[in-house]
Amino acid sequence: MNKRPMQAPRIFHLTSLAALLASVALSGCSFIPTYERPAAPVAAAFAPGLTSAATGDGAGPAAADLEWQAFFTDARLRRLIELSLQNNRDLRVAVLAIEQTRAQLQVRRADELPTLNAGITGSRGPASSGAITSTYSAGLSVTAYELDFFGRVRALSQAAQAQLLGSEEARKTVQISLIASVANTYLSLLANDELLRVAREALATRQESLRLTQLKFDNDAASRLDLSQAQSLLEGAKVALAQSTRLRAQDENALVLLLGQPLPADLPDGLPLGSQTLLPAVPAGVPSELLTRRPDIRQAEQVLLANNANIGAARAAFFPRITLTGSAGVVSNDLDTLFNNGTAAWTFVPQLLLPIFDYGRNQANLESAKLARDIAVAQYEKAIQTGFREVADALAGRATLGEQLRAQNAQLAAEQSRMQLIDLRFKHGASNAFDVLDAQRSLFAAQQAAVQVQVQQAQNLVTLYKVLGGGWKQ
């Protein structure tokens, strides 16, 4: 340790030198591989027939540019979505994960600059003469600051930056999925309400049919087969009623979980299933646009960028690591005079470490980083393929469910007409009880099928909006 009479400007000599060395380090080299976005491993376009049938002339706004408040017109559903965005625990975890990765990024960025510490130390021990001596020191110090000539620290900081961006995209993905889940569960709830209504009507009709059939059977005007058929249809209606009641309760429980709270009693009035007016068409565009529309694909790319930066850090580990430790302050044998009559003292300890033999640790770290990058490439490509498949499936549903619903409604109208005619014939003695019961069974099945196709069509449009990247705007 060097000592000289105390001079205040010298105390700041070390910090000035450290700042100069830091600026030199910032101009160092980087071993991060040049990033090139992998080619999308999907077709250049969706099936043209399905695309045109599903999205019309494509003149509407893109799903990613359409806020969910404009897509959903049911006031009750909009309120449910608002509550879920406020209270859902999965979304809350995703938001907190962003803050965690932001803190980790700050840690990495702090490593790029020297950490300045202030401290006071004291020691007592025997001198060569046998007397007990005391030494006290106070000042500023920098400990093991790495001069990042080869970009190792900066590469780790870039990896942390990509991880932060990836966590932000993950939050958007959770929000999209949450909005779609609330909407689809709500639509399922409406469908089960409708199925409950149909089942109750069928139950009442079949109870009356069983009463009449039993009366005829008691008077030898109907066979035991007719009576058994009437009893079977009545029990079938009870089965459907119990099933719809159970499914409705489960849908309500699912909504409570998605909302993160019990269903409020002051929800606005909603629309029935048949009056849901979702935006009828959103343009699908081309598959390459999914790279910018879907946050899950952007998240996968940020993971790829983070792993690409980690390769640079692993490469830099093969080169010398230069660290700086130093201090500047005052020293005295008497604590009372440390800041008055103490003498200036400073230390400067640069260190250069060159890896020579580490049992292949650095090489293994580099290979691990490269393999992690290759895994990230495969995951990124899989995310694109998954997105392509989801959009294609939703387009196929949108192109065909409309025609299926039209045909199902036509079949329902025919069954209703058939039921009326057979009931009229039965009252005039032209048809038997078996014909009436068969018509009731067919009508009930057609009513159930029409409700199921109707909710499938609405849910498919919600899914199409979701898979095209809609619903994540603030």
Side-chain angles (χ1 to χ4, degrees):
M1 179 180 293
N2 300 309
K3 300 182 181 180
R4 63 180 63 180
M6 183 176 179
Q7 298 178 16
R10 285 290 188 180
I11 297 179
F12 302 98
H13 172 75
L14 179 62
T15 56
S16 301
L17 179 61
L20 176 61
L21 292 175
S23 64
V24 174
L26 291 175
S27 64
C29 58
S30 174
F31 291 101
I32 300 176
T34 301
Y35 175 73
E36 294 182 4
R37 175 181 287 174
V42 294
F46 299 106
L50 295 181
T51 303
S52 59
T55 60
D57 58 7
D65 299 327
L66 183 65
E67 297 181 352
W68 63 265
Q69 293 92 335
F71 184 80
F72 300 105
T73 58
D74 189 320
R76 191 180 187 91
L77 175 56
R78 282 204 296 254
R79 179 56 181 157
L80 291 173
I81 293 175
E82 288 174 357
L83 291 173
S84 70
L85 294 177
Q86 294 170 7
N87 302 309
N88 181 265
R89 298 310 188 269
D90 289 334
L91 186 58
R92 187 173 299 176
V93 168
V95 172
L96 293 174
I98 295 176
E99 299 307 315
Q100 183 183 32
T101 52
R102 181 174 286 114
Q104 292 169 348
L105 173 61
Q106 185 59 38
V107 171
R108 290 299 184 186
R109 285 179 171 172
D111 290 339
E112 298 183 31
L113 297 172
T115 299
L116 189 63
N117 301 300
I120 300 177
T121 62
S123 63
R124 288 175 62 86
S128 58
S129 62
I132 301 299
T133 61
S134 300
T135 303
Y136 302 95
S137 64
L140 305 176
S141 65
V142 174
T143 304
Y145 167 61
E146 181 175 348
L147 300 179
D148 196 25
F149 288 114
F150 302 101
R152 189 189 72 87
V153 178
R154 289 196 307 281
L156 293 175
S157 179
Q158 290 186 31
Q161 174 71 28
Q163 290 169 351
L164 172 60
L165 295 176
S167 67
E168 292 174 347
E169 299 299 339
R171 196 274 304 169
K172 296 173 185 176
T173 299
V174 172
Q175 179 172 320
I176 288 177
S177 298
L178 176 60
I179 291 173
S181 295
V182 172
N184 283 330
T185 304
Y186 176 73
L187 292 172
S188 179
L189 184 66
L190 295 181
N192 283 310
D193 283 339
E194 186 67 16
L195 289 173
L196 274 173
R197 182 191 64 78
V198 171
R200 291 190 181 104
E201 291 178 355
L203 183 62
T205 300
R206 292 178 182 185
Q207 285 173 336
E208 178 64 16
S209 295
L210 178 59
R211 187 187 68 80
L212 294 175
T213 304
Q214 182 69 53
L215 182 62
K216 289 185 176 182
F217 177 76
D218 294 340
N219 291 277
D220 297 325
S223 66
R224 181 168 293 279
L225 177 62
D226 293 336
L227 181 61
S228 298
Q229 179 75 359
Q231 291 173 336
S232 175
L233 290 180
L234 176 61
E235 297 305 320
K238 291 181 179 179
V239 169
L241 181 62
Q243 181 182 29
S244 296
T245 302
R246 181 181 68 255
L247 293 177
R248 191 196 184 283
Q250 292 174 345
D251 287 338
E252 192 166 299
N253 293 337
L255 269 180
V256 169
L257 178 61
L258 291 170
L259 264 61
Q261 66 169 60
L263 291 176
D266 59 346
L267 288 173
D269 294 334
L271 300 173
L273 181 61
S275 301
Q276 294 294 320
T277 54
L278 304 175
L279 192 70
V282 288
V286 296
S288 61
E289 293 178 353
L290 292 179
L291 305 183
T292 57
R293 286 178 175 176
R294 286 182 55 127
D296 59 330
I297 296 178
R298 294 200 298 269
Q299 178 190 0
E301 186 172 20
Q302 292 300 328
V303 173
L304 174 56
L305 287 167
N307 283 281
N308 195 61
N310 285 333
I311 293 177
R315 286 176 174 175
F318 285 90
F319 292 85
R321 183 176 300 183
I322 304 173
T323 60
L324 172 64
T325 298
S327 64
V330 292
V331 63
S332 173
N333 292 328
D334 188 350
L335 182 60
D336 294 336
T337 61
L338 177 61
F339 295 100
N340 298 326
N341 299 321
T343 57
W346 59 269
T347 61
F348 181 69
V349 187
Q351 185 180 48
L352 185 147
L353 296 175
L354 177 64
I356 298 177
F357 184 66
D358 60 358
Y359 293 93
R361 181 182 291 106
N362 284 338
Q363 185 62 40
N365 285 334
L366 178 58
E367 291 300 322
S368 177
K370 289 181 178 180
L371 290 171
R373 191 268 313 274
D374 294 340
I375 291 173
V377 169
Q379 291 173 334
Y380 173 69
E381 293 173 342
K382 178 64 180 298
I384 295 175
Q385 291 174 335
T386 300
F388 180 89
R389 185 263 173 94
E390 290 176 348
V391 174
D393 285 350
L395 290 175
R398 182 62 179 153
T400 56
L401 281 169
E403 176 60 23
Q404 182 179 350
L405 181 60
R406 187 205 64 76
Q408 191 66 57
N409 286 333
Q411 182 186 20
L412 175 59
E415 290 294 342
Q416 289 172 334
S417 177
R418 174 175 174 242
M419 181 69 236
Q420 292 172 355
L421 292 174
I422 289 180
D423 185 60
L424 182 63
R425 288 167 57 86
F426 177 73
K427 291 178 179 178
H428 290 81
S431 295
N432 56 35
F434 181 82
D435 293 334
V436 174
L437 295 175
D438 181 67
Q440 289 179 352
R441 177 189 57 79
S442 297
L443 176 60
F444 184 45
Q447 289 173 324
Q448 289 179 309
V451 173
Q452 290 167 352
V453 176
Q454 191 174 24
V455 71
Q456 286 176 9
Q457 185 187 39
Q459 289 177 333
N460 177 261
L461 186 54
V462 172
T463 300
L464 180 60
Y465 176 63
K466 167 193 169 184
V467 298
L468 288 175
W472 66 264
K473 281 192 170 184
Q474 296 290 351

